[in-house]
Amino acid sequence: MNQTLEYLQELLAVPSPTGYTVGVQEYLMKTLEKLCYPYKRTPKGNIIVTVEGKDNTSSRVVTAHVDTLGAIVRAIKPSGRLKLDKIGGYPWNMIEGENCTVHIASTGESVTGTILIHQTSCHVYKDAGTAERTQDNMEVRLDLEVNFEQETRSYGIEVGDFVSFDPRTTITPTGFVKSRFLDDKVSAAILLNLLKTYRDWHVQLPVTTHFMFSCIEETGTGANSSIPENAVEFLAVDMGAMGDDQQTDEYTVSICVKDGSGPYNYTLRQHLVDLAKEKEIDYRLDIYPFYGSDASAAMRAGADVKHALLGAGIESSHSYERTHIKSIQATEALVDAYLKSELV
């Protein structure tokens, strides 16, 4: 797990809200160059590595996404603070009190701040605890000496500047990994480590496999294009959702039966279950009711493939997330077993 966790920490340290992913694309390309893998960057920024297998008449696609939730400057208020528009799906209370960085397009510089509700001070506002968390009430308190709109604009800050959230990554002595954006940088780290392992140990996969790192998944269109014509299977490695009525936990790999887009391919799903049983990998089957993936985006775009979804169990998804090394290990083991198996 050491190398996977190293990749994970490096990925988490790169701000990459959907629409502002050039930095993480550059990280991926540099990492793949060190691993001596040729790659292709598509026009919309997805990074694809094709690993030739023993059989290249048909192929499979495996994806992980590297874009994250974030925000964008909606307006500069008369007070000099910033009004935000959300990137990705989350309620405002999930980011209240979070430190953030404003990426200033006009200068290439950045400035830090904190996301707060306008009525923050309980010594001043009677409704500090009850005021509705809405776009109109939430704002960025910049770490600048500004009190007026024009003072903020004098730093080059403008509508359309991206805002990233502090990931606050921590790995505990008890094996828990706490951070924003484990969805889906855990999976990207797993794919990078498998690529490194296959290179180091000269592993030839049975089937030509296209590793795709997508950069626009949080808004629904990540890996829905540039799918090779001979691809017949599509595995999205994402996250397992936890909560009431969910079987997914932080210590196993979660295999998705159905999400908000509908059921996943039964044959491919059962193939993953059989591999987990054969390799004695602890797993859970689950339904994610409010969820979509790179695989479901590909299906909506018309991909004629068997599609499946699995991932590490992530607690508090789209908030300050947590998983355990055991879940990362189980997920990596099942992806590895799948990639070393024959087509269904």
Side-chain angles (χ1 to χ4, degrees):
M1 278 287 97
N2 287 343
Q3 184 61 66
T4 301
L5 292 177
E6 182 177 330
Y7 283 139
L8 175 57
Q9 289 173 291
E10 290 172 353
L11 284 162
L12 290 167
V14 183
S16 57
T18 307
Y20 187 76
T21 57
V22 173
V24 75
Q25 291 172 39
E26 291 175 349
Y27 168 82
L28 288 170
M29 291 186 289
K30 289 178 182 177
T31 302
L32 292 169
E33 287 166 4
K34 288 179 183 177
L35 295 175
C36 300
Y37 277 107
Y39 60 83
K40 177 179 73 173
R41 178 162 62 169
T42 69
K44 70 179 178 182
N46 292 347
I47 308 295
I48 303 174
V49 178
T50 297
V51 178
E52 295 292 335
K54 294 178 183 177
D55 177 11
N56 60 10
T57 55
S58 297
S59 66
R60 56 175 41 133
V61 177
V62 59
T63 71
H65 71 87
V66 291
D67 63 310
T68 70
L69 306 175
I72 197 165
V73 176
R74 171 69 179 86
I76 302 174
K77 295 187 170 186
S79 64
R81 296 192 176 191
L82 306 180
K83 185 176 183 178
L84 298 177
D85 200 48
K86 292 187 286 188
I87 296 174
Y90 56 90
W92 287 107
N93 65 289
M94 294 295 194
I95 60 169
E96 183 176 2
E98 190 61 85
N99 289 327
C100 64
T101 300
V102 181
H103 304 275
I104 307 172
S106 64
T107 65
E109 298 177 348
S110 61
V111 63
T112 58
T114 306
I115 302 167
L116 299 165
I117 190 168
H118 175 75
Q119 303 95 318
T120 297
S121 176
C122 59
H123 295 95
V124 177
Y125 300 101
K126 186 177 181 180
D127 63 343
T130 59
E132 188 177 1
R133 273 56 182 165
T134 66
Q135 184 183 57
D136 289 334
N137 281 342
M138 302 301 291
E139 60 189 18
V140 176
R141 179 187 66 192
L142 294 166
D143 296 327
L144 296 171
E145 293 187 32
V146 294
N147 294 291
F148 302 100
E149 175 185 350
Q150 198 53 46
E151 290 177 331
T152 296
R153 290 187 183 276
S154 70
Y155 287 91
I157 297 171
E158 187 50 85
V159 170
D161 286 343
F162 284 90
V163 179
S164 61
F165 310 148
D166 186 346
R168 290 187 286 135
T169 304
T170 300
I171 300 177
T172 73
T174 52
F176 288 98
V177 182
K178 304 190 293 184
S179 181
R180 288 191 180 274
F181 315 133
L182 298 179
D183 168 21
D184 186 33
K185 291 184 175 180
V186 164
S187 302
I190 285 171
L191 294 192
L192 285 175
N193 190 52
L194 289 175
L195 284 167
K196 182 179 188 302
T197 301
Y198 298 157
R199 184 212 63 178
D200 290 349
W201 292 94
H202 306 288
V203 174
Q204 185 176 22
L205 298 176
V207 179
T208 293
T209 302
H210 310 279
F211 291 73
M212 185 183 297
F213 298 90
S214 70
C215 67
I216 195 169
E217 190 271 352
E218 291 292 358
T219 51
T221 58
N224 65 356
S225 57
S226 301
I227 300 170
E229 289 185 3
N230 70 343
V232 295
E233 293 180 0
F234 191 116
L235 174 66
V237 188
D238 207 315
M239 55 147 279
M242 296 175 56
D244 294 342
D245 295 329
Q246 300 297 107
Q247 296 192 108
T248 299
D249 60 31
E250 296 173 86
Y251 315 106
T252 62
V253 56
S254 179
I255 301 172
C256 184
V257 174
K258 174 186 178 294
D259 66 10
S261 68
Y264 282 79
N265 181 270
Y266 177 77
T267 304
L268 186 52
R269 179 248 286 188
Q270 286 306 110
H271 179 57
L272 295 172
V273 170
D274 291 342
L275 287 172
K277 291 178 178 178
E278 177 188 340
K279 303 295 183 181
E280 298 183 339
I281 301 167
D282 204 359
Y283 73 95
R284 299 288 185 270
L285 291 175
D286 227 331
I287 292 172
Y288 314 150
F290 310 110
Y291 192 113
S293 71
D294 274 330
S296 53
M299 297 301 283
R300 284 194 297 270
D304 189 11
V305 293
K306 296 182 177 74
H307 71 313
L309 167 63
L310 62 79
I314 304 295
E315 216 283 322
S316 298
S317 60
H318 283 200
S319 183
Y320 185 52
E321 299 166 343
R322 191 181 79 165
T323 191
H324 195 276
I325 290 172
K326 289 180 179 178
S327 187
I328 301 174
Q329 288 173 324
T331 303
E332 186 164 318
L334 185 52
V335 175
D336 180 48
Y338 167 69
L339 295 179
K340 290 176 178 175
S341 70
E342 300 291 340
L343 293 170
V344 176

